[in-house]
Amino acid sequence: MSEHVAIVAGAGGELGPATAEKLPAAGFTVVRVDRNEEALKELPDSIRREAANPTDPADPAAARSVVDRIAAEVGPPEVLVNTIGTYGLGEALTARPRTCGS
């Protein structure tokens, strides 16, 4: 079990990899989590991969399952970095909310 565990949610996106690569220097065992298993493979092998089920990342039961598995296998997480999200270029005043997968 690791003493200092950090979870980087959305580690397969644009911001997640940079964050996941910096945390080990601060003494953390990093577990990267993402729905995109291929994107997770692009990070160094020294950072543990944890593929989340392809469900809504806002689903509390799915999130709890992933966190519980990490706590049991690696150690209880001290840090959660949430980089889950998306962005689209455009006018801020005309933007509309988007749902997962759109």
Side-chain angles (χ1 to χ4, degrees), residues 2-42:
S2 295
E3 195 169 314
H4 302 290
V5 176
I7 298 172
V8 178
E14 298 296 321
L15 297 174
T19 305
E21 290 175 353
K22 298 289 184 192
L23 286 168
F28 286 94
T29 297
V30 178
V31 181
R32 53 194 176 191
V33 177
D34 203 286
R35 296 183 304 166
N36 182 344
E37 289 186 58
E38 290 303 313
L40 290 176
K41 293 177 184 175
E42 295 177 16

Side-chain angles (χ1 to χ4, degrees), residues 45-95:
D45 287 336
S46 61
I47 300 174
R48 181 184 169 100
R49 297 177 188 93
E50 195 67 47
N53 293 329
T55 59
D56 183 352
D59 176 14
R64 179 175 301 279
S65 173
V66 171
V67 171
D68 288 347
R69 189 170 60 238
I70 291 168
E73 295 175 7
V74 184
E78 292 183 356
V79 172
L80 169 64
V81 179
N82 183 3
T83 64
I84 295 173
T86 184
Y87 64 91
L89 299 177
E91 301 269 337
L93 297 177
T94 60

